[in-house]
Amino acid sequence: MRGTPFLTAAAVALSLSGTAVALPAPTTDTSGTVVTDACANILKHSVPVGNTSYLVFTPEVAIACLNSFNITAETRQKQVKNLKSYYELYPFLDLAKDSKAPLFPLKVDIDALLDSIAADNTLTTEFAFQTAMYKAVNSLNDAHMSYVGTCFTKFTAMLPFVFASQHDPTPGKPPKIIVKDTFTSGSALFKTAGFPAANLAKALDKFWIHGLRGSSAANFTGFVVQEINGLDPVDFIVKNTLKDSISKSPETRFNNALRSYRWTAGNPAGRDGSLYYKTVLTSDMPNVLRMTLLNPATGNTSQIHAPWAVITTSASSLVSADTYYAKYCAPPKTASLVARDDAPVPGISDPELPEALLLPDEVTITGGVRRFKRTGDGKVESEPVDTDALALQAPLADRERATTAVDLDKPVVADANGAFYLVDGTTGVWVLSTFSPADTSDAGIDKWIGTITTGLSTLEKAGATKLIIDVTGNGGGYICLGLAIAQYLFPNTTITPVLYDVRRTTVLEELFKITYNSDFHDSYFALDGMLTANGTQMKTVEDLFEPGLSTVRGGVAGKYSNRISLDCSSNIKPYILNATLFNQLSKGWDNNHLAIVSNGRCGSTCAIYTRTLRANYGVKTFTYGGNTGKAFQPTSFEGGQSANALDVLDSVEGGFAATRYNTSLPRDAFPQAFTLPSTVGIAFWEAYSQFEKTNLPLEFEPQPAEGHLSDADATDPVSVWRAGAAKLRWRASAGTYYARYSTSSNSTAGVSRWDEGLPPQTLLEGVTEVTAESVLKYVEFCFAATNYTSPLPREAFPSAFVLPVELGIAHWEAY
């Protein structure tokens, strides 16, 4: 049964009084003076939120305001030139132009793309220009590379529906897309998002009801999405995430758009996807999504408009366009240097919501976790939070929770950075949410590692025979901490160091020389902590660049430095295995009883940590979610060391101020301050693969997980953990078993036939403990593939049971 026709756009743009919202395009004279003030127009055509300073309005009204500020061709060209001066450091600048298999395919000439934006005279406003820049950088699919015009990040947009994927247990089958929850007054999301719940929820209910056929958004919870803007919903999401910066893996981009979970500020909580929640508006953003929803209970469909609601927290800034610009578009300020191995990535390790929208809850910011509150005069104050106590706060009913016997509010051990659970008595779970402790002092790092070692040793003592490491949403941090934890888990093995290099350009080489010949060593261009590929300390800039390496990437011959590693491996073992400092494992878990689970949102140091466990120790990884039902890349944005533009600029300025070296290049040959305030991230080291000496950059090397959790619910952590634990009954492939122990058989053909004929979860992957089902599959396989004629009839071997049973068998004995 079909629903009512789609509502018209005009109906969606009605104000509460029923009057059509006037949306005049802003007009300006040649001097840039605003004639029609579209920012003040927001005050006339928005839904107030009680007695707060919040407003709710349409994207069309918001974009009209943001388009109020003209830009000259000269400003466009200067901003592009400055950005290119930073991106000259990007090690994949050439490779991204034409990357081919076996690497991730990509064809983005970022220099040419930026030049075309500088020359585009149709980009007459700052907002249109910054949107074009934002999209260009996102097309690199590298979260270390980011660009946002900070002038235009003061609005937040959301849809009424929170979408999630509903898995299909059949391997290789795409998921369904369902309405998991809603941003309305009855939603648990408002109890975790930090909004002024009651007032804003009511305002949004009123705003959205025009597009939802007069119904509250909550009435559509559980409906199946059949169509979005004329496309299958999976196809729509895949298409609309092509330029998502989170990853080069389409499955990870798909997961990033949908509902998932995360550990944040000491509590388990849902995570909202980019499909229905945006902190960066773009100039081409639509007012609505046209959707067809299926009610699974009745079989009826509804055709609706799902309106985007734009929210701002400061009505006072919208008195006029001049007021807005003066408040939010001030020139960029110089940031202090942050000495770290890996910079945080916005949208992954940072809060999902803008600081202003998190009142009155907590948010993790630089320096720790702080609680925000609004005073009587409307000002915002904050105070530090005792993060050790956070795991015991916030009752279960206040958050979206999986209905399982595992109480996510009662981890075995937890702090603001992660948690440890014992599931079903034998499976230990480590929720590893970051490698970036808030307190980076020696004492703070000792405390962070102490929580991890205490959690792992407590799980071992509690009887955990398997360990699942859940890296979902881990945005990285300090690489040396990642390697330290790897050494803790596998103390009897030696870590193969990750090797890096940098793109060799005249400017970058000069930056290293300027820093080397100065007293300014707190810089991204210092040699401190760098080792040669042979493990010796780099002493001069020549050690880094001479003779260097040359290679062709993306059809372009490029020059790169010598390979380098970080000076942390030699200090890790005595530190992490110091029983006086940290609780030590008695036996731990070997690689047959330990696995990593991920939805692909494991980036930077998390990616290198995961790769290290896989390549050095044979640890298996299992993915969940995705749009194909198959295993995919468990990690993302793996480029190596990264920085933000302000820190690079500080390094340049500090080096020039302190140097005793006279460079032949003028100051304007080096990175400059931006004309327009912008937040810019840059990757400028590249990490290389440890897998089978492939010598490929990690950022571009696909290494799909060893298996996929096709029966896991991507929004339910316990479902994911149990599915991962079930995989740990398997050890090595049945094809390997057959090749090793059936020497009379055609093992090569057998391995190939086995691997092609059976899905991963049915493989006999152990030679010490098996199930009856696996033994039967192995017997059938051997009879089909062998070139050896057995004197025994088929019925002499194990056969299928008449009645369905589950049977485990031990078939080796140890002495």
Side-chain angles (χ1 to χ4, degrees):
M1 175 180 174
R2 302 295 294 177
T4 59
F6 284 104
L7 298 179
T8 64
V12 177
L14 292 178
S15 69
L16 290 181
S17 63
T19 306
V21 175
L23 300 171
T27 58
T28 56
D29 60 25
T30 55
S31 66
T33 303
V34 177
V35 178
T36 301
D37 200 314
C39 293
N41 194 46
I42 291 178
L43 298 176
K44 300 177 182 178
H45 302 293
S46 59
V47 178
V49 181
N51 295 320
T52 72
S53 59
Y54 286 66
L55 296 173
V56 180
F57 41 94
T58 66
E60 196 168 2
V61 173
I63 291 169
C65 168
L66 298 180
N67 266 324
S68 295
F69 317 112
N70 282 355
I71 188 172
T72 65
E74 181 182 1
T75 300
R76 284 200 318 267
Q77 292 160 9
K78 189 172 182 179
Q79 185 81 353
V80 166
K81 179 183 177 181
N82 287 349
L83 183 60
K84 289 175 66 176
S85 72
Y86 290 91
Y87 282 6
E88 188 179 358
L89 310 180
Y90 188 44
F92 310 118
L93 193 67
D94 298 323
L95 181 56
K97 294 176 182 177
D98 190 16
S99 173
K100 300 184 178 70
L103 303 180
F104 278 114
L106 192 68
K107 289 184 181 294
V108 178
D109 187 337
I110 191 65
D111 274 348
L113 201 52
L114 293 176
D115 285 340
S116 69
I117 293 172
D120 189 350
N121 290 325
T122 67
L123 301 174
T124 57
T125 69
E126 279 190 31
F127 183 50
F129 168 76
Q130 294 287 49
T131 293
M133 298 281 276
Y134 170 75
K135 289 186 173 183
V137 175
N138 278 0
S139 66
L140 291 167
N141 298 140
D142 183 348
H144 279 147
M145 301 293 287
S146 59
Y147 180 97
V148 177
T150 51
C151 184
F152 306 113
T153 58
K154 308 309 173 184
F155 296 158
T156 298
M158 61 179 65
L159 289 172
F161 303 133
V162 176
F163 302 103
S165 60
Q166 189 176 66
H167 66 277
D168 189 317
T170 307
K173 287 290 187 71
K176 293 179 180 178
I177 305 301
I178 63 169
V179 176
K180 180 70 175 181
D181 205 343
T182 57
F183 278 113
T184 54
S185 54
S187 169
L189 296 179
F190 266 100
K191 299 175 183 178
T192 59
F195 292 109
N199 288 325
L200 184 55
K202 291 177 182 178
L204 287 170
D205 270 343
K206 294 177 180 178
F207 179 88
W208 281 323
I209 202 167
H210 294 293
L212 300 180
R213 304 174 58 230
S215 177
S216 170
N219 294 336
F220 295 96
T221 302
F223 281 32
V224 178
V225 183
Q226 292 191 319
E227 189 177 270
I228 303 178
N229 286 0
L231 295 175
D232 174 88
V234 172
D235 294 339
F236 175 87
I237 295 170
V238 170
K239 179 181 178 181
N240 281 269
T241 57
L242 285 173
K243 294 184 178 181
D244 189 335
S245 66
I246 188 70
S247 176
K248 291 177 175 59
S249 164
E251 293 88 354
T252 299
R253 299 196 299 265
F254 180 86
N255 285 341
N256 192 53
L258 297 170
R259 180 76 162 162
S260 60
Y261 61 85
R262 60 176 178 165
W263 181 266
T264 178
N267 288 307
R271 180 200 163 270
D272 309 322
S274 62
L275 176 62
Y276 48 88
Y277 185 85
K278 298 183 184 298
T279 56
V280 178
L281 273 61
T282 56
S283 57
D284 57 353
M285 184 177 173
N287 267 356
V288 298
L289 291 185
R290 303 187 313 276
M291 302 176 62
T292 301
L293 303 179
L294 170 70
N295 184 339
T298 65
N300 295 337
T301 59
S302 299
Q303 293 179 305
I304 61 170
H305 277 131
W308 281 100
V310 179
I311 302 171
T312 187
T313 62
S314 180
S316 61
S317 67
L318 298 172
V319 173
S320 69
D322 288 341
T323 304
Y324 178 94
Y325 201 85
K327 184 171 184 177
Y328 297 127
C329 305
K333 297 178 181 179
T334 301
S336 59
L337 277 173
V338 180
R340 55 182 300 161
D341 296 324
D342 212 354
V345 179
I348 305 299
S349 53
D350 292 345
E352 297 293 333
L353 300 174
E355 180 178 305
L357 292 182
L358 282 157
L359 301 174
D361 292 343
E362 296 86 23
V363 57
T364 303
I365 59 174
T366 303
V369 177
R370 302 188 70 84
R371 177 177 288 112
F372 291 85
K373 62 182 179 180
R374 194 182 302 279
T375 61
D377 58 1
K379 296 181 179 179
V380 176
E381 294 182 350
S382 67
E383 59 185 5
V385 177
D386 180 3
T387 56
D388 292 332
L390 281 176
L392 303 178
Q393 299 177 5
L396 179 63
D398 283 353
R399 295 191 299 277
E400 182 185 33
R401 248 337 88 79
T403 55
T404 71
V406 178
D407 189 345
L408 294 177
D409 283 312
K410 295 181 179 179
V412 174
V413 174
D415 65 6
N417 302 303
F420 298 83
Y421 293 91
L422 187 65
V423 178
D424 301 333
T426 59
T427 300
V429 174
W430 176 17
V431 182
L432 176 54
S433 66
T434 184
F435 288 98
S436 182
D439 181 358
T440 56
S441 66
D442 289 346
I445 290 175
D446 284 349
K447 183 178 180 181
W448 182 79
I449 293 180
T451 300
I452 292 172
T453 55
T454 298
L456 291 171
S457 59
T458 301
L459 288 177
E460 183 185 46
K461 292 174 183 176
T465 58
K466 305 171 185 176
L467 179 66
I468 298 295
I469 304 177
D470 190 342
V471 295
T472 299
N474 187 314
Y478 298 88
I479 185 62
C480 288
L481 294 185
L483 297 179
I485 299 304
Q487 189 71 77
Y488 178 80
L489 288 170
F490 295 95
N492 297 321
T493 56
T494 301
I495 294 175
T496 301
V498 179
L499 297 181
Y500 305 83
D501 66 17
V502 297
R503 187 169 184 262
R504 185 176 185 176
T505 69
T506 302
V507 168
L508 185 58
E509 195 165 350
E510 287 295 293
L511 284 173
F512 274 97
K513 289 179 180 178
I514 290 168
T515 303
Y516 178 75
N517 289 283
S518 74
D519 297 322
F520 185 70
H521 290 276
D522 193 9
S523 165
Y524 280 96
F525 308 107
L527 296 177
D528 306 54
M530 288 189 188
L531 302 178
T532 68
N534 296 324
T536 59
Q537 178 66 49
M538 284 197 171
K539 298 179 180 179
T540 68
V541 177
E542 285 70 26
D543 289 339
L544 176 60
F545 288 107
E546 298 297 341
L549 302 171
S550 297
T551 186
V552 176
R553 292 181 170 177
V556 178
K559 294 182 178 181
Y560 300 84
S561 71
N562 298 320
R563 297 289 164 81
I564 56 180
S565 65
L566 288 172
D567 187 13
C568 58
S569 298
S570 60
N571 301 321
I572 285 176
K573 203 163 188 176
Y575 168 68
I576 198 69
L577 300 182
N578 186 333
T580 303
L581 284 175
F582 307 117
N583 293 313
Q584 299 298 307
L585 296 172
S586 173
K587 182 179 178 182
W589 300 270
D590 61 27
N591 60 2
N592 290 322
H593 294 82
L594 185 156
I596 295 173
V597 297
S598 172
N599 68 349
R601 296 182 76 252
C602 160
S604 202
T605 289
C606 181
I608 291 176
Y609 169 80
T610 300
R611 294 264 196 164
T612 296
L613 292 189
R614 296 177 74 187
N616 286 263
Y617 311 121
V619 171
K620 293 181 178 64
T621 55
F622 301 117
T623 50
Y624 67 92
N627 57 302
T628 63
K630 299 178 181 179
F632 55 89
Q633 183 89 355
T635 53
S636 50
F637 53 103
E638 307 175 59
Q641 193 177 41
S642 64
N644 65 62
L646 290 180
D647 287 343
V648 171
L649 187 62
D650 274 359
S651 297
V652 173
E653 297 292 355
F656 266 89
T659 189
R660 297 180 295 273
Y661 169 77
N662 292 321
T663 177
S664 60
L665 299 178
R667 173 63 186 87
D668 59 8
F670 297 87
Q672 307 282 318
F674 288 108
T675 305
L676 303 175
S678 306
T679 302
V680 179
I682 310 154
F684 69 102
W685 288 25
E686 60 179 341
Y688 281 87
S689 174
Q690 298 171 300
F691 281 92
E692 301 175 2
K693 311 292 184 185
T694 57
N695 199 35
L696 297 174
L698 284 183
E699 175 66 22
F700 281 80
E701 181 200 32
Q703 278 288 347
E706 285 74 17
H708 187 67
L709 309 180
S710 58
D711 54 347
D713 180 346
T715 66
D716 177 2
V718 179
S719 168
V720 171
W721 302 340
R722 283 181 167 146
K727 289 282 190 182
L728 283 177
R729 72 171 61 182
W730 317 114
R731 301 284 176 81
S733 74
T736 302
Y737 182 96
Y738 181 75
R740 289 179 178 174
Y741 299 102
S742 299
T743 55
S744 299
S745 303
N746 183 351
S747 59
T748 302
V751 172
S752 174
R753 182 170 177 178
W754 177 271
D755 290 341
E756 292 175 3
L758 293 171
Q761 63 266 37
T762 61
L763 296 180
L764 168 64
E765 297 183 290
V767 293
T768 57
E769 53 182 287
V770 295
T771 66
E773 179 186 16
S774 297
V775 170
L776 182 63
K777 290 183 181 295
Y778 174 62
V779 170
E780 297 291 357
F781 163 73
C782 288
F783 266 88
T786 186
N787 56 16
Y788 168 73
T789 303
S790 172
L792 300 178
R794 171 63 185 85
E795 57 266 23
F797 294 87
S799 298
F801 286 101
V802 177
L803 300 176
V805 298
E806 291 187 5
L807 179 67
I809 312 157
H811 68 113
W812 284 27
E813 58 180 340
Y815 287 92

